[in-house]
Each structure stands twice: as structure tokens, then as C-alpha cells.
Amino acid sequence: MINRIIQTIVENKDFLEKSLENSINANEISMFSRDLRKVFDEAGRKTLVGILEMIDTILFEDTRRKIEYETKDLRKRTLVTQYGNIEYRRRYYRNRQNKEYVYLADEKMGIEKNERITKDVQSKIIEFAHDISYSKTGKRIVENEIISPTTVMHKVRQEELKVETLEEKKQIKRLYIEADEDHVSERDNKVGMPKLIYVHEGRYQKGNRNILKNVHYIGCLGKNSEELWLEVAEYVDTKYDMKNVEKVYICGDGAAWIKEGLNWIEKSKFVLDRFHLLKYINQATVEFPQYKSKLWYNINIYDPISVENIFKEIIEKTTDEKRKEKVIDSYRYVKNQWKGIEIYETDGEYLSGCSAEGHISHVYADRMSSRPRTWCDDGIDKMSRLRAFVSNGGKIYEELIKNKKANTKLKKYDKIIKRHIKQNIEEAKYCSAPIVNTGMNSDIRKFLNKVMYG
């Protein structure tokens, strides 16, 4: 294995020395860094091929394997790695008892049957696709390799990523849940509306910014309201000791799907997002702005009768029928959401507004709706979940490895494989490379000496 790395550097000695010379002449280290990366990528590809084929040979020569599996064929396979595309050969076997066919080297190294991309590259694909288009992602992952947008899309959609809560239940008095939805363009002029719910423990000040304490996001498109709130309820019950919680505030624009949370989260009260209240007040007073301050005054002293009378005055004075319908619509909204307004009178000291619009922009809109793109339902749903997963601090590569099923059938071959690899590394310490043994006092020779002898 190490011999392959050294041999690759030896074979590219002249290229590296020339690159280093050019870099020194141009006073630009990046020139040598770029060329060194090319050589190391080549060394990486050769090393991976060597490891896979060595393990295949070890299994082929093992006595226990010969008893359990019979050799049927030797076949090639290609695999996209972070060093580029590799091609290696491994043997095809048949189990003598159950007659199942298997590539033992692939099974041992966790390379799945239809897998064409290694897990580290797959995690990079998902990480890049989280921020940029599938097309751009495919061009940036592996040097000199283009992964199709369709492949990127499939990799994003096939994984279920979820941050688990394993710590002890927290003891808090008040819990906050905020919710909103984005508007994402779909085919045939349709609009997808992925929902976002996030749970937190209140706010604290950091400079000029309000920061949410221990925020956790839950998002999707496909689930109905009941299923989504069930997921929220399960998270809350796992994370917090609800016996100790005095009140849960569910904040949003008052949509039916948001208020559905009151049926699922115990000790919960609805709080109207005043941003949306402002929007409806402005809509009602466009033609008669003198009523705006009157409405706000009576809303802030929690006087529903006076608010109703002011709306009636505006409606009577409005002559345009379309404008009148908007005023009536605003009145209905305020009337239907009055409990969400009134709670500020009793619990105002614990309420500091709703930041759902900003979180929708940060978590969803930056990727899905702020630029002209067209999505399908499944794409919106998977990207919503991915954006929530990353916002929760989820680690994509670790999650991919964790989700992989452990293969214990070939555990018995571990010792012999490790022994051969250790022997290979020991032999590399005493290998002889022509460039190392020359009298040349070059930087490349010194580098190789360090690689070989430490």
C-alpha cells in the first residue's frame, strides 16, 4: 500500500521538481500545491485499488473460505472515490450451502451491490446539494469527474437523516414552538408549501442579535398536520420533562395546521405572530390610514368591542367592493385570532415575538424559493428535511455510516486480513526506491525519506 504511494511520487519526480521550481520562480506556492494534489490523487487511486485487490487475494487464499465458498469468476468494477474514478478486480463466489452469489471483498469492505459512489463522496454530494443546485454539485465533488444531476438528486432523496436525542430530559418552565411555511414553485404553475416547525427554550441577547436557545427544527412537505405534530410531540416528550413544564407557547400566523398543535402538545397556548397581525391591519387601513393608530391602541389594551366597532366604521366608509372585501377579510382574521392576541395581556413578559419569517428564509428560502427554480413534491420534501437536519447540527457522513447495516458474516476473516496488512506496512519500511538511494540532494528525495523512515 505505502509502496504504491512512494512509487507514484517516484514516477512523478521530474514533474514535481519542475512544478516546485516554477512555484519558487513565480513566488506562488499554490502552483506546486495544485500539482502535488494531482500526484496524491493518483497515489490515492492506486492505493485504494491495491487494498481492495489485496483483500480479495487474502480471502481467495484462505482455507476457511475455500470450505464455505467456491470461486466462480473474476470481474471488474468501477467506483467513484474522493480521489477520482477507480477500477479494480475482485472474485465472484457462490456459497456452497445456500447457493447465494457474493463478492466477498466488496462485502468485507462495505461496498454495496449497486453502490457506485463511496460513502465519503456521497456525504459530500449531500452537503453540497444542501446549498447549491444538483447540476453544480455534480461538477464540484470530485476532481475531473462529473456526477450527473440525476445521480445527485437520487443520493439526496434516498437517505433518511435524523438527529437523535439521547441526553437526559431537560427541566424547564416554559417552552416555545414557532411554525410557518414557505412557498416553492412547482411544475405546471403549482406551489408547494413545505412546513417548518422549530422548538426552542426562549431567546438571549448576543450583541444586537436575538439568539434562540437550543433550537431544533422539524420540516417536511409530505406529512399531514397530525403526523407532523406527532413528530413534534415525540421530540418534545423525549427532550423535556413535561411534568416540570408550566406552559408551551405555539406561535404562528394562526393557520389551521399551526393551531392543530394545540391538540398534540400538552399545556400549550396559541400566540399570534404580530408580524401577520400588522399585515392585516395595514391591509384594512390603506384607504383610511387615520384608523391605524386607533386599531393598534385598542388591540394593545385588549378591547375587542372597540376593535370591532372601528372595523365596522371602515367597512361602512369603503365604497369599492374589492377593497371592502379585504377590510372584511382583515376583520375576520383579527376576530378569529383574538385569543392569540389576548395572551400577550397575561403572558406578555414571557413573549418576545415570533421569528418564523426569518427562519423560513434561512432554512428553506435560501435554497428552494429565493431563486427561480422548479421543484417536485418529493424534491421539496427531501430538501426540507435535509435543511432541517443540517440546521440541527446533524453530521451527514456520520449519519450515513450509522445507518449502514453491520455485516457480521465475514467477521471471522478480520484477523487474517489485519495480519496481512500489518505485514505489508512492515515490509514497506525496508523497501528500496531508486530516487531515495541516489546521491541527489533534492527536496523530493528528502520528502520520500520522511515518508518511508519517519
Side-chain angles (χ1 to χ4, degrees), residues 148-202:
S148 73
T150 302
T151 300
V152 174
M153 179 187 69
H154 287 320
K155 293 302 177 185
V156 171
R157 294 185 186 181
Q158 74 183 26
E159 298 297 337
E160 292 291 339
L161 304 173
K162 188 175 181 181
V163 176
E164 292 186 2
T165 304
L166 302 175
E167 58 192 50
E168 291 184 9
K169 291 187 177 184
K170 298 189 72 171
Q171 306 284 327
I172 63 170
K173 296 295 183 182
R174 285 175 174 79
L175 191 62
Y176 300 83
I177 302 175
E178 301 178 24
D180 203 353
E181 56 195 359
D182 197 10
H183 295 74
V184 181
S185 298
E186 293 194 68
R187 300 184 183 95
D188 301 322
N189 295 320
K190 295 180 180 179
V191 177
M193 301 177 71
K195 298 176 175 66
L196 179 68
I197 298 176
Y198 54 98
V199 182
H200 63 92
E201 299 165 16

Side-chain angles (χ1 to χ4, degrees), residues 178 251-254 270-282 295-302 333-334 337-345 348 351-357:
E178 301 178 24
C251 184
D253 62 8
F270 175 69
V271 180
L272 181 64
D273 176 9
R274 292 178 78 88
F275 172 82
H276 289 87
L277 178 59
L278 172 64
K279 184 174 71 172
Y280 280 95
I281 296 299
N282 288 341
L295 277 173
W296 276 117
Y297 174 78
N298 287 284
I299 286 172
N300 289 330
I301 64 172
Y302 311 103
Y333 180 81
V334 173
Q337 308 302 335
W338 190 255
K339 284 188 177 180
I341 297 171
E342 205 170 35
I343 194 171
Y344 284 93
E345 182 178 17
L351 304 173
S352 56
C354 178
S355 55
E357 289 283 331

